[in-house]
Amino acid sequence: MTVLILGATSPIARAIAREYAMRGNPIALAARDVAEVARHASDITIRYGVKARGYAFDALEYDRHRETVAEAARDLGPIEVGVIAFGDLGDWQRSVTDPTAARAVLETNFVGAASTAEALAQHMAPRRSGTIVGLSSVAGERGRYSNYFYGSSKGAFSLYLQGLRARLYHEGVHVLTVKPGLIDTPMTWGLRRGRIPIASPESLARAITRGVERRRDVIYHPWFWKWVMGLLRAVPESRWKRIKI
Amino acid sequence: MGRWAEQQVAGWGRYPSTTALVARPETRRDIEAAFKDREGSPVLAQGMRRSYGDAALLKGCRVIDFTHINRMLSFDEHEGWLRCEAGVTIAEIVDVFLERGWFPPVVPGTKYVTVAGALASDIHGKNHHVAGSWSDHVRRVELLTANGEVVTCDRATNSDLFWATAGGQGLTGMILAMDVRLGRVRSSTTASDADQVPMIDVETIRVPDLATFLQVSAASHQREYTVGWVDGTARGRGTGRGVLMRGDWSAAPRRAVRRRAARASMARYLGSGWLINSATIKSFNTFYYRRHIRRATARTVDADRFFFPLDAVQGWNVLYGKRGFLQYQFVVPPGGGGDRVAAILEAIASSGIAASLGVIKEFGERAHGGLSFPAPGITVALDFPNTGTRLLDLLDRLDDAVASAGGRVYLAKDARLGRESFRRMYPDWSRWKEVRDAADPDQVFQSDLGRRLGLVGDAS
Ligand SMILES: Cc1cc2nc3c(=O)[nH]c(=O)nc-3n(C[C@H](O)[C@H](O)[C@H](O)COP(=O)(O)OP(=O)(O)OC[C@H]3O[C@@H](n4cnc5c(N)ncnc54)[C@H](O)[C@@H]3O)c2cc1C
Ligand SMILES: NC(=O)c1ccc[n+]([C@@H]2O[C@H](COP(=O)([O-])OP(=O)(O)OC[C@H]3O[C@@H](n4cnc5c(N)ncnc54)[C@H](OP(=O)(O)O)[C@@H]3O)[C@@H](O)[C@H]2O)c1
């Protein structure tokens, strides 16, 4: 069962690829940096003895998304699990002053992600089989003082996935929404450690493969974020707007 | 967040400790971007930080962490050549290849080191007498040099740079990838069951003194792996007493029992430093020696147990407490029936400062010059809790004895050697520095160790 990872260069994407390769699945790795995914594909083949290949992919090249999915399926077999792993945190202060920067974040995380998901859906629905995994974020649960560009794009993506799940339910395809808290990647590099626990990409990858197996709809990782976000959502708007987080 | 994060960093000995701005690239592009984005600051590559002292530190400057640059790029099933990126660890190589019948050509006492760190320290292992050091098994290195270009070095092209990088402690450039040749493990040829992994037949021999150690060691040259444990607190007639272990890959593979590393929290709990002091070290050493009641025993053990026994306790270095510890490893030339080693051991034991975990080994003939450590002779490594000036004074005296005996200390373990002694120990250093300066005229690559020993900047 082939696994296609879109945005394959990040540590979370790498951990997911390894987790599936370890179980013997062929892996298709799509990313902007083709030289890098080629190296990554060799690594997977050497370590786990499975087929792995790299593909050029840009979240913002909408008209190529279906082609990328089709190409990977031609080479490695029908895509059973498609993981939308890319994301752009952006620099929120820049987004405030520079509309182009803001647009890049909103477009990558929402429009690009939705377009990719549709491409996967189109490939999976005729076979009535497969799982689409979308990496959203707990940041999408409530708009915050800081980086609401990223937050809103992830919030929109979560809503989109919710709708897609309902639609594809009737077509035999499963949709898993993943809402990570803090994971140890470049996105969180330099955050003061110790205050809030930062989970490893490997632990997230294991949670995701388990979620796919058990056909979960939404997972939070680490689990406590579900309760943290529940609490934060409960703060009345009149208070919330005063908090600078 | 940002590319550079301020971090408190230290080597394995947790002494010294400094702050630096650290980047942790995920891809080769990230490495090049970080290198360009260093705002003119000196920079250093860092691996798993298993060097003990300040080899991987660069106070107040930029450090690039290579641990996420760890792809295996190609493997030649016939000859054993593995091309891999700098941050691949020996642990990963063992994980992937041992069950297929291959093993790293040289392994240190911990598997948590990167291949780049292995080359930068030109590491040695229990098989030095037959296999030499890490660089003996590397044919090609990709190096990001000071002008931002990627240079390929091997024994024919850029050979000066190749040899200066072997043992060069990261000061010639940043290693991006290398070709290293894995060794065939004998027993694997019969392995059929996937659950079976090669094991090691090991013999353990108690040796009452240094002369006996040398005799047994000399008689063990045919064995692939030999190493000794030495009681650094024993004096007089017992100087050099300890245990010698010799091993070979077992002809029959066995089902391996996967051991889990002891919980790190356990070590942290014990980690305030109260556990390790002169009295506990002495009784432990005696206990360990006496435990080997019989003169010789033989068993078959798994590779982890034989090569990396210390890795079973994660984070054991915190046991020495906040002040950390220092390891002193030296090699002195053979001859004199081990008198030189005996004199140094005697000086340590009579100083009243207790050394724990002594390791002793007889090196083979191979040596590479430059800053590479291994040389024919006997090497001893001892750990000392950091007790401040008293210890530092003792180590200064030992430097003198080692240098006078024509020996040297291992830079990967060092945190305090002085320039004068360093130059006596590594007479090749000025030639090494010429090669480095030609490759890095603007002194882009630096480290605290390099600054201390005059390997970077003005050599006065
Ligand atoms: C328990 C223990 C046992 C050990 N046993 C042995 C032994 O038996 N034999 C032995 O020889 N050594 C031994 N060592 C020492 C260890 O093998 C060396 O210090 C090794 O260099 C550590 O590798 P590292 O990846 O941790 O590198 P670090 O400690 O992070 O760095 C070491 C040096 O390598 C350089 N470096 C790291 N990455 C790069 C790169 N990409 N490009 C250029 N330079 C780089 C750094 O600048 C630094 O100078 C032992 C250490 C420990 C903790
Ligand atoms: N880290 C966390 O704490 C955390 C928390 C919640 C959610 N998440 C989500 O988890 C996912 C992975 O996160 P991460 O932390 O591993 O990310 P990361 O290290 O910041 O990497 C971002 C990845 O997205 C790719 N990307 C960005 N724009 C792209 C585009 N236009 N086209 C194709 N690829 C693009 C990047 O590729 P290049 O290499 O080409 O730049 C890179 O692989 C993201 O969706 C992120 O939002 C992360």
Side-chain angles (χ1 to χ4, degrees):
Chain A
M1 114 183 173
T2 303
V3 177
L4 167 61
I5 298 178
L6 298 134
T9 50
S10 83
I12 292 176
R14 285 187 69 194
I16 297 170
R18 286 182 172 197
E19 199 62 38
Y20 275 110
M22 217 179 277
R23 295 151 193 236
N25 303 292
I27 309 287
L29 303 161
R32 292 188 290 200
D33 188 341
V34 273
E36 187 60 36
V37 281
R39 281 195 283 273
H40 188 10
S42 315
D43 180 67
I44 286 183
T45 302
I46 294 173
R47 285 183 201 243
Y48 307 108
V50 297
K51 275 196 196 161
R53 269 218 195 164
Y55 299 88
F57 165 79
D58 190 320
L60 301 178
E61 285 176 10
Y62 309 116
D63 44 1
R64 292 218 48 233
H65 292 169
R66 286 166 195 226
E67 216 176 294
T68 307
V69 175
E71 204 186 333
R74 248 194 329 272
D75 294 344
L76 300 170
I79 312 298
E80 259 308 300
V81 179
V83 185
I84 302 162
F86 59 83
D88 185 356
L89 184 65
D91 169 343
W92 74 277
Q93 270 137 339
R94 232 189 99 202
S95 294
V96 172
T97 53
D98 176 359
T100 330
R103 186 177 152 186
V105 172
L106 297 171
E107 223 181 296
T108 308
N109 296 339
F110 181 45
V111 188
S115 162
T116 317
E118 287 303 323
L120 287 167
Q122 201 209 18
H123 171 77
M124 291 173 175
R127 293 178 24 254
R128 299 192 66 82
S129 156
T131 302
I132 297 173
V133 179
L135 273 118
S136 187
S137 171
V138 293
E141 304 253 301
R142 190 154 197 186
R144 288 180 297 134
Y145 174 90
S146 67
N147 216 349
Y148 51 84
F149 299 97
Y150 176 76
S152 62
S153 66
K154 287 294 189 183
F157 185 43
S158 294
L159 274 184
Y160 162 85
L161 289 170
Q162 198 170 39
L164 184 71
R165 174 159 45 243
R167 188 197 118 205
L168 293 180
Y169 175 75
H170 303 281
E171 305 187 31
V173 175
H174 182 61
V175 175
L176 168 64
T177 307
V178 182
K179 297 184 177 180
L182 292 180
I183 313 295
D184 184 12
T185 76
M187 266 193 194
T188 53
W189 182 246
L191 275 190
R192 278 187 69 86
R193 318 230 145 187
R195 289 247 212 84
I196 312 173
I198 298 186
S200 70
E202 291 73 26
S203 73
L204 173 59
R206 279 192 296 274
I208 289 173
T209 51
R210 223 180 304 125
V212 170
E213 259 162 40
R214 297 184 188 169
R215 300 221 140 206
R216 297 279 302 275
D217 295 321
V218 181
I219 55 176
Y220 288 79
H221 186 83
W223 59 271
F224 61 81
W225 282 97
K226 184 173 179 183
W227 306 102
V228 172
M229 294 322 292
L231 284 175
L232 293 184
R233 275 199 314 270
V235 177
E237 197 61 22
S238 56
R239 301 269 317 254
W240 182 254
K241 70 182 177 194
R242 295 163 209 263
I243 310 173
K244 290 191 177 182
I245 53 167
Chain B
M1 310 279 7
R3 167 173 288 135
W4 301 99
E6 188 171 73
Q7 285 186 353
Q8 183 76 29
V9 286
W12 188 247
R14 306 214 301 159
Y15 168 86
S17 168
T18 61
T19 55
L21 289 172
V22 182
R24 189 184 59 188
E26 298 293 333
T27 65
R28 184 171 282 204
R29 260 193 211 171
D30 288 350
I31 302 170
E32 288 166 8
F35 183 73
K36 287 205 183 85
D37 174 45
R38 64 182 200 279
E39 296 174 355
S41 162
V43 64
L44 182 70
Q46 173 195 284
M48 291 290 283
R49 265 192 235 152
R50 257 33 178 213
S51 48
Y52 280 71
D54 54 1
L57 309 186
L58 181 52
K59 188 186 170 93
C61 298
R62 311 278 171 145
V63 169
I64 299 183
D65 175 332
F66 271 76
T67 52
H68 284 201
I69 304 298
N70 63 344
R71 284 88 182 154
M72 297 184 182
L73 302 174
S74 65
F75 182 64
D76 165 356
E77 302 275 352
H78 303 289
E79 302 285 324
W81 287 105
L82 173 68
R83 175 167 298 177
C84 63
E85 292 183 330
V88 166
T89 62
I90 289 197
E92 290 173 294
I93 297 178
V94 174
D95 260 6
V96 172
F97 289 100
L98 183 55
E99 60 191 44
R100 301 184 202 171
W102 299 93
F103 197 70
V106 169
V107 297
T110 171
K111 61 181 172 178
Y112 301 115
V113 304
T114 63
V115 293
L119 183 64
S121 296
D122 196 14
I123 62 164
H124 57 270
K126 299 176 173 54
N127 58 354
H128 184 271
H129 59 289
V130 289
S133 52
W134 187 265
S135 65
D136 284 309
H137 309 273
V138 173
R139 69 173 172 198
R140 178 179 177 279
V141 179
E142 272 174 65
L143 197 66
L144 178 67
T145 52
N147 57 13
E149 271 165 32
V150 179
V151 172
T152 302
C153 320
D154 56 33
R155 285 170 169 74
T157 30
N158 300 309
S159 64
D160 276 357
L161 201 51
F162 178 89
W163 289 115
T165 300
Q169 298 295 347
L171 298 173
T172 55
M174 293 196 282
I175 299 164
L176 300 176
M178 74 180 67
D179 288 6
V180 58
R181 190 176 191 172
L182 308 188
R184 262 266 178 233
V185 172
R186 197 181 51 185
S187 62
S188 67
T189 45
T190 57
S192 51
D193 183 340
D195 277 352
Q196 299 203 322
V197 247
M199 306 275 284
I200 298 273
D201 289 332
V202 49
E203 257 181 288
T204 308
I205 300 151
R206 191 162 96 163
V207 287
D209 52 38
L210 193 63
T212 317
F213 172 84
L214 292 176
Q215 269 167 25
V216 182
S217 174
S220 309
H221 283 174
Q222 307 303 320
R223 314 300 287 266
E224 190 162 355
Y225 301 103
T226 65
V227 69
W229 167 84
V230 60
D231 180 354
T233 53
R235 307 178 52 178
R237 279 198 313 145
T239 301
R241 76 170 178 181
V243 175
L244 185 136
M245 279 154 270
R246 53 189 193 192
D248 284 295
W249 290 102
S250 176
R254 301 275 174 84
R255 188 170 303 264
V257 207
R258 288 219 179 248
R259 290 185 311 148
R260 290 198 158 266
R263 291 286 297 272
S265 54
M266 182 67 175
R268 214 162 285 145
Y269 165 71
L270 298 168
S272 49
W274 55 268
L275 191 63
I276 299 182
N277 56 49
S278 294
T280 55
I281 290 171
K282 272 195 189 127
S283 23
F284 175 81
N285 283 347
T286 305
F287 168 75
Y288 190 89
Y289 177 70
R290 293 268 150 79
R291 204 184 67 146
H292 294 87
I293 304 171
R294 284 194 287 147
R295 216 189 62 78
T297 55
R299 333 171 265 164
T300 303
V301 300
D302 64 42
D304 270 352
R305 184 132 176 204
F306 181 70
F307 293 107
F308 318 116
L310 289 171
D311 288 343
V313 186
Q314 252 174 48
W316 60 265
N317 58 336
V318 302
L319 291 175
Y320 285 90
K322 270 210 171 59
R323 301 180 70 186
F325 67 110
L326 288 90
Q327 181 168 103
Y328 192 77
Q329 180 171 1
F330 63 90
V331 58
V332 291
D339 286 353
R340 301 177 184 130
V341 179
I344 295 169
L345 287 176
E346 181 71 43
I348 294 169
S350 59
S351 72
I353 300 178
S356 50
L357 277 180
V359 173
I360 181 166
K361 152 120 196 118
E362 195 185 348
F363 277 152
E365 290 301 314
R366 292 210 228 174
H368 296 297
L371 302 188
S372 175
F373 169 69
I378 295 150
T379 183
V380 175
L382 297 154
D383 286 353
F384 295 93
N386 179 14
T387 48
T389 37
R390 217 160 71 88
L391 174 64
L392 295 176
D393 289 346
L394 168 69
L395 298 183
D396 284 345
R397 287 202 304 278
L398 298 183
D399 288 343
D400 192 47
V402 169
S404 305
R408 55 173 63 147
V409 305
Y410 189 10
L411 302 183
K413 309 283 177 80
D414 177 51
R416 31 67 48 200
L417 182 66
R419 265 185 210 195
E420 289 297 304
S421 305
F422 164 70
R423 287 178 185 176
R424 285 172 68 200
M425 295 173 177
Y426 289 87
D428 244 11
W429 74 274
S430 54
R431 166 82 190 111
W432 177 88
K433 186 155 168 45
E434 275 167 32
V435 177
R436 173 208 136 81
D437 285 350
D440 182 8
D442 300 323
Q443 313 291 318
V444 169
F445 299 107
Q446 301 197 12
S447 67
D448 289 346
L449 175 130
R451 289 171 169 178
R452 174 163 56 79
L453 298 178
L455 295 171
V456 302
D458 188 5
S460 60

